[in-house]
């Protein structure tokens, strides 16, 4: 154990206000030190990262160190990394702009709700969250507790209350269940698949009493295990019922009574007044159900770990600036939106919260370099920097030096020349471990049994204070790390689709037909710059029936799309203010609902047809795949996994 680490441990245990740790050059090295620190001090930590992408890397590296206690240098204290049953909770932020009229991704909603539920129950030793999550307002801990359920066998819990909580917290009724976030009802039996459970559970009621709780296999419907109790986490962090949406429609008409909001308000109240959701409703609901808490209300006795304070502060500075700019833009364009202060902590509120918390700051280059950055910011910035983590603040400074290991890109002779037997190697599969052992034996290098670990580590590093040297699979073979292999989220793919739409929009030329979401089919007649009150703005000029003109600000181009039809004839222009387009939209909506009904019936029938379910991969299949010498692309790996999942299901495959 190094003197530097002993000093760090002592400062954390005595409750030092701010500790600055410099010299660690990678997340993998930082995670290794933090896991040691958590085990040595028995303290809880909350790691604040720059973005959601860093959350996954941090969580994977922490998980490796916590669950691989033998991944230390030979001869060192093997128990140093051991943190028994440590729970790593990840709290991502909504990456969706709250002023884009787009709902956040369902997967992010699920991950946030589960994280808050776990934090409220104290099921965490380490929380990893993004800078944006730090300032995002949410519901109080007791509210998130009331969204979920804790059921125990032989105790009363009225099934109607269970159903109400499931529906209001984002669960969808589905028969049969095929994924988390779904439930079904058959008489006194409720099947539900919580996001915090690997399998669905079947709850049988006798009146209001929970008669039995069984985990079951979603494929065979056969019981797997009898349970004494079950914890059902919510699928989103706030309750939302049809009545809440109706209430929103009422209060929104009062708040946005100015005529400039009429059109955009009507688009939303038409749905909300019927108890239906609309795009982006999650960022509008706080109008009737204010968000009265933040993540600090959930971090009980946690020490904040700020991963590179300069990067975190820059991310928050940019976020605050964009929120203010985007809010001003949508209000000016006549769209309805809540103020940033209703959705996020303001800088002075955040600064006060940070002042009340103990902090461990990971600063790779130390506080001296950060002080230089602060001076530059003060001289260069038009507005005052946030100064959330000022270097002028008194802090204990400790240095633990690490350095990144060399990248060999498959050059095995070079790796062998640098390798020593005290080093550790981390690879992702048992097949790769066997392959690497065979390669090293060809160079007469025979490794101890625990020298090669199976796991996901973002990068290798050297940490001389602990006589620790780690090589990752990517360091040796130049392959993609586990964090990079992770498939893109739906939110990311949506972003790329949006880019394609913008590119298509720019290809418009005068005379092309377009569709405005509110006014229907018109003819694009080019762009025009209009000056008003000393400012210039660019507008799209759309021509409608009777040569009526509509000017659409370019920042609201999301309302306009290119007209496309299988018919060769030119379309008829709609009349501005007429009812024709509204009737067309209503007809299309009815047709879509009819099609949805037909699809639901079709897939319900398909679910009843039993096909052949292939068994899971046998060991020889894993060995065969591990021996494949090339790295699969993200899409190839995802396609293979999806096809295997379908083949192991007794439902007929529906895939092109």
């Amino acid at each position: 154990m190094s003197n530097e680490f002993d000093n760090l441990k002592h400062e954390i245990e005595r409750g030092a206000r701010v500790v600055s740790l410099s010299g660690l050059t990678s997340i993998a090295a930082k995670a290794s030190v933090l896991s040691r620190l958590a085990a040595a001090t028995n303290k809880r930590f909350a790691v604040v990262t720059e973005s959601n992408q860093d959350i996954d890397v941090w969580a994977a590296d922490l998980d490796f160190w916590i669950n691989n206690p033998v991944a230390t240098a030979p001869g060192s204290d093997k128990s140093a990394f051991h943190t028994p049953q440590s729970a790593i909770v990840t709290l991502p932020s909504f990456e969706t702009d709250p002023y884009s009229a787009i709902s956040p991704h369902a997967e992010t909603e699920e991950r946030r709700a589960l994280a808050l539920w776990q934090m409220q129950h104290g099921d965490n030793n380490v929380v990893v969250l993004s800078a944006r999550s730090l300032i995002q307002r949410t519901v109080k801990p007791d509210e998130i507790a009331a969204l979920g359920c804790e059921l125990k066998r032989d105790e009363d819990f009225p099934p109607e209350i269970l159903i109400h909580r499931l529906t209001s917290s984002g669960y969808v009724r589905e028969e049969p269940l095929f994924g988390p976030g779904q439930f079904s009802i058959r008489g006194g039996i409720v099947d539900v698949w919580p996001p915090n459970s690997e399998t669905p559970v079947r709850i049988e009621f006798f009146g209001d009493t929970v008669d039995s709780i069984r985990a079951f296999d979603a494929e065979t419907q056969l019981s797997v295990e009898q349970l004494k109790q079950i914890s059902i986490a919510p699928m989103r962090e706030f309750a939302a019922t049809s009545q809440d949406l109706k209430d929103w429609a009422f209060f929104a008409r009062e708040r946005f009574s100015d005529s400039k909001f009429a059109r955009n308000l009507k688009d939303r109240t038409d749905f909300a007044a019927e108890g239906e959701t609309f795009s982006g409703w999650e960022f509008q609901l706080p109008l009737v159900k204010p968000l009265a808490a933040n993540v600090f209300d959930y971090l009980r006795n946690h020490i904040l770990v700020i991963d590179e304070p300069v990067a975190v502060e820059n991310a928050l500075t940019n976020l605050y600036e964009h929120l203010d700019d985007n809010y001003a833009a949508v209000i000016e364009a006549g769209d309805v939106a809540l103020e940033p202060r209703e959705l996020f902590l303001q800088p002075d509120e955040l600064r006060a919260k940070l002042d009340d918390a103990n902090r461990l700051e990971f600063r790779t280059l130390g506080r001296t370099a950060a002080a230089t950055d602060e001076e530059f910011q003060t001289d260069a910035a038009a507005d005052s920097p946030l100064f959330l983590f000022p270097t002028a603040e008194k802090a204990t400074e400790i240095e633990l030096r690490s350095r990144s290991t060399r990248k060999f890109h498959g050059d095995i002779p070079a790796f062998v020349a640098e390798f020593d037997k005290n080093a550790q190697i981390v690879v992702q599969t048992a097949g790769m471990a066997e392959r690497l052992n065979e390669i090293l034996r060809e160079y007469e290098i025979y490794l101890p049994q625990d020298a090669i670990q199976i796991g996901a580590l973002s990068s290798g590093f050297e940490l001389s204070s602990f006589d620790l040297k780690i090589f990752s699979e990517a360091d040796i073979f130049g392959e993609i790390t586990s964090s990079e292999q992770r498939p893109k989220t739906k939110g990311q793919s949506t972003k790329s689709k949006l880019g394609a739409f913008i590119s298509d929009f720019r290809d418009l030329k005068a005379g092309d037909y377009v569709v405005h979401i509110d006014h229907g089919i018109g003819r694009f007649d080019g762009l025009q710059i209009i000056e008003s009150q000393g400012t210039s703005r660019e507008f799209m000029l759309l021509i409608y029936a009777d040569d009526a003109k509509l000017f659409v600000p370019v920042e609201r181009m999301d309302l306009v799309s290119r007209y496309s039809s299988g018919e060769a004839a030119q379309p008829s222009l709609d009349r501005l203010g007429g009812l024709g387009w509204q009737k067309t939209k209503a007809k299309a909506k009815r047709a879509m609902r009819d099609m949805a009904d037909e699809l639901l019936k079709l897939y319900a029938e398909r679910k009843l047809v039993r096909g052949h379910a292939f068994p899971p991969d046998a060991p020889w299949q894993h060995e065969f795949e591990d021996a494949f010498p090339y790295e699969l692309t993200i899409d190839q790996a995802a396609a293979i996994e999806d096809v295997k999942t379908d083949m192991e299901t007794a439902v007929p495959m529906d895939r092109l």
Side-chain angles (χ1 to χ4, degrees):
M1 194 73 69
S2 69
N3 291 333
E4 295 89 348
F5 184 82
D6 286 339
N7 292 339
L8 176 62
K9 174 177 174 291
H10 172 71
E11 293 297 325
I12 294 299
E13 287 180 330
R14 77 173 182 85
R17 171 75 182 77
V18 180
V19 178
S20 179
L21 183 61
S22 61
L24 299 177
T25 58
S26 67
I27 291 178
K30 295 170 185 175
S32 71
V33 171
L34 187 62
S35 62
R36 280 180 180 264
L37 195 59
T41 64
N42 201 29
K43 298 283 188 179
R44 291 182 169 186
F45 297 89
V47 182
V48 182
T49 69
E50 181 181 0
S51 65
N52 280 357
Q53 286 73 21
D54 292 332
I55 288 178
D56 294 331
V57 179
W58 259 101
D61 286 350
L62 282 169
D63 182 71
F64 171 78
W65 292 115
I66 288 171
N67 294 302
N68 290 270
V70 297
T72 60
S76 64
D77 180 6
K78 297 289 185 182
S79 66
F81 281 111
H82 185 53
T83 308
Q85 300 300 319
S86 292
I88 301 171
V89 174
T90 58
L91 180 66
S93 59
F94 293 139
E95 294 186 333
T96 309
D97 180 0
Y99 302 115
S100 65
I102 298 174
S103 292
H105 195 277
E107 181 182 344
T108 306
E109 287 192 291
E110 175 189 335
R111 289 182 63 187
R112 282 187 56 83
L114 179 57
L116 294 172
W117 169 267
Q118 292 171 323
M119 292 163 69
Q120 191 274 335
H121 282 73
D123 300 337
N124 59 90
N125 286 338
V126 182
V127 178
V128 188
L129 64 154
S130 68
R132 181 166 174 167
S133 289
L134 198 65
I135 67 171
Q136 194 164 314
R137 295 192 190 275
T138 186
V139 298
K140 295 179 180 179
D142 59 343
E143 292 181 60
I144 202 80
L147 275 178
C149 305
E150 299 279 352
L151 275 67
K152 294 183 179 180
R153 195 172 60 198
D154 299 326
E155 291 189 2
D156 285 354
F157 198 104
E160 58 270 17
I161 293 180
L162 171 62
I163 300 305
H164 173 75
R165 291 192 183 184
L166 292 176
T167 54
S168 63
S169 67
Y171 282 78
V172 177
R173 187 167 180 173
E174 186 74 40
E175 179 65 47
L177 310 186
F178 58 84
Q182 299 173 349
F183 74 98
S184 66
I185 310 169
R186 297 184 309 282
I189 299 175
V190 178
D191 291 349
V192 59
W193 196 332
N196 53 327
S197 174
E198 294 184 359
T199 60
V201 293
R202 180 160 292 151
I203 307 162
E204 293 189 39
F205 289 89
F206 185 77
D208 288 346
T209 304
V210 178
D211 195 41
S212 75
I213 306 174
R214 291 173 290 158
F216 69 93
D217 188 309
E219 305 290 341
T220 64
Q221 297 290 305
L222 297 178
S223 296
V224 175
E225 181 184 5
Q226 289 279 353
L227 304 174
K228 292 183 179 179
Q229 60 184 31
I230 181 66
S231 171
I232 303 176
M235 288 294 290
R236 59 173 173 244
E237 65 197 85
F238 51 85
T241 64
S242 60
Q243 186 58 50
D244 292 327
L245 290 161
K246 293 176 182 178
D247 291 343
W248 179 87
F250 174 81
F251 287 106
R253 291 189 184 103
E254 286 192 343
R255 176 159 173 174
F256 303 104
S257 58
D258 192 298
S259 59
K260 71 175 183 179
F261 298 116
R263 181 193 64 200
N264 289 304
L265 181 62
K266 186 176 185 300
D267 288 344
R268 292 163 173 79
T269 54
D270 281 350
F271 289 96
E274 298 296 325
E276 298 182 14
T277 60
F278 51 86
S279 183
W281 66 272
E282 294 87 349
F283 300 115
Q284 302 281 354
L285 198 63
L287 175 63
V288 293
K289 304 187 77 173
L291 301 173
N294 53 74
V295 73
F296 291 95
D297 295 306
Y298 291 81
L299 296 176
R300 295 186 283 267
N301 303 318
H302 283 71
I303 297 171
L304 286 184
V305 180
I306 312 299
D307 183 21
E308 302 302 334
V310 173
V312 170
E313 179 153 333
N314 287 340
L316 289 172
T317 300
N318 293 332
L319 176 58
Y320 280 126
E321 181 180 344
H322 287 136
L323 288 173
D324 290 338
D325 290 346
N326 293 350
Y327 172 71
V330 297
I331 292 299
E332 183 181 357
D335 206 348
V336 296
L338 300 185
E339 296 181 40
R341 63 179 177 81
E342 298 176 85
L343 304 174
F344 299 91
L345 288 176
Q346 292 304 283
D348 57 338
E349 295 177 285
L350 175 60
R351 198 174 293 109
K353 296 290 185 183
L354 292 172
D355 288 343
D356 289 339
N358 291 351
R359 294 202 310 271
L360 170 60
E361 300 177 351
F362 282 123
R363 296 182 185 265
T364 300
L365 301 178
R367 287 166 68 86
T368 303
T372 304
D373 288 340
E374 285 182 8
E375 291 178 11
F376 176 77
Q377 280 183 308
T378 305
D379 294 337
D383 299 320
S384 299
L386 292 176
F387 288 136
L388 299 172
F389 316 105
T391 55
E393 189 174 19
K394 184 179 179 181
T396 302
E397 298 187 51
I398 299 174
E399 184 178 40
L400 277 172
R401 288 187 174 273
S402 75
R403 68 173 184 174
S404 299
T405 48
R406 178 182 167 187
K407 310 297 182 186
F408 295 97
H409 303 293
D411 187 350
I412 300 300
F415 171 68
V416 169
E418 188 169 319
F419 182 75
D420 63 75
K421 290 188 177 181
N422 288 329
Q424 297 286 311
I425 302 173
V426 179
V427 296
Q428 298 183 34
T429 63
M432 179 58 73
E434 184 178 344
R435 174 187 171 194
L436 186 57
N437 257 319
E438 291 175 356
I439 292 173
L440 293 178
R441 281 196 291 268
E442 293 177 4
Y443 290 88
E444 298 184 349
I445 296 177
Y446 301 93
L447 299 178
Q449 184 176 0
D450 61 354
I452 300 181
Q453 298 294 317
I454 310 299
L457 194 64
S458 60
S459 66
F461 62 91
E462 295 181 57
L463 194 56
S464 58
S465 298
F466 301 111
D467 192 25
L468 182 63
K469 188 174 185 178
I470 297 283
F471 290 100
S472 71
E473 181 178 328
D475 295 333
I476 303 170
F477 297 103
E479 298 179 352
I480 300 173
T481 64
S482 61
S483 61
E484 294 169 328
Q485 284 178 335
R486 206 171 274 108
K488 291 183 178 180
T489 65
K490 293 181 181 178
Q492 290 171 313
S493 63
T494 302
K495 186 175 181 180
S496 65
K497 290 177 182 177
L498 180 58
F501 170 76
I502 292 173
S503 174
D504 180 65
F505 166 75
R506 288 175 178 172
D507 291 339
L508 283 176
K509 60 182 182 296
D512 286 348
Y513 290 94
V514 296
V515 180
H516 190 285
I517 193 171
D518 294 321
H519 305 290
I521 300 173
R523 188 178 68 249
F524 177 63
D525 207 37
L527 300 174
Q528 288 193 13
I529 296 177
I530 299 177
E531 294 189 5
S532 175
Q533 298 179 349
T535 61
S536 299
R537 293 180 65 190
E538 193 170 24
F539 292 81
M540 298 172 58
L541 174 57
L542 306 184
I543 305 298
Y544 283 84
D546 300 329
D547 290 330
K549 296 180 179 180
L550 177 67
F551 292 92
V552 181
V554 293
E555 59 265 23
R556 294 316 315 270
M557 59 189 177
D558 58 304
L559 300 175
V560 181
S561 60
R562 181 191 291 274
Y563 172 82
S564 61
S565 173
E567 301 175 3
Q570 292 184 351
S572 300
L573 299 181
D574 283 307
R575 186 181 302 277
L576 276 181
L579 297 177
W581 177 243
Q582 301 303 324
K583 292 179 179 178
T584 301
K585 286 204 298 183
K587 182 179 179 182
K589 186 176 181 180
R590 287 194 298 271
M592 290 173 64
R593 285 180 173 172
D594 291 343
M595 181 182 294
D597 288 340
E598 293 176 7
L599 287 173
L600 284 173
K601 292 176 182 177
L602 172 63
Y603 278 89
E605 292 173 0
R606 287 177 56 82
K607 289 286 185 182
L608 297 176
V609 178
R610 308 303 293 176
H612 177 72
F614 290 88
D617 289 345
W620 63 264
Q621 174 72 16
H622 292 297
E623 293 176 8
F624 175 76
E625 292 178 354
D626 290 341
F628 185 62
Y630 304 102
E631 190 68 38
L632 296 175
T633 67
I634 294 174
D635 290 338
Q636 287 171 337
I640 291 172
E641 193 62 34
D642 289 345
V643 170
K644 284 184 178 181
T645 301
D646 284 355
M647 293 178 67
E648 293 170 12
T649 304
V651 178
M653 186 182 291
D654 181 19
R655 183 178 296 280
L656 291 178

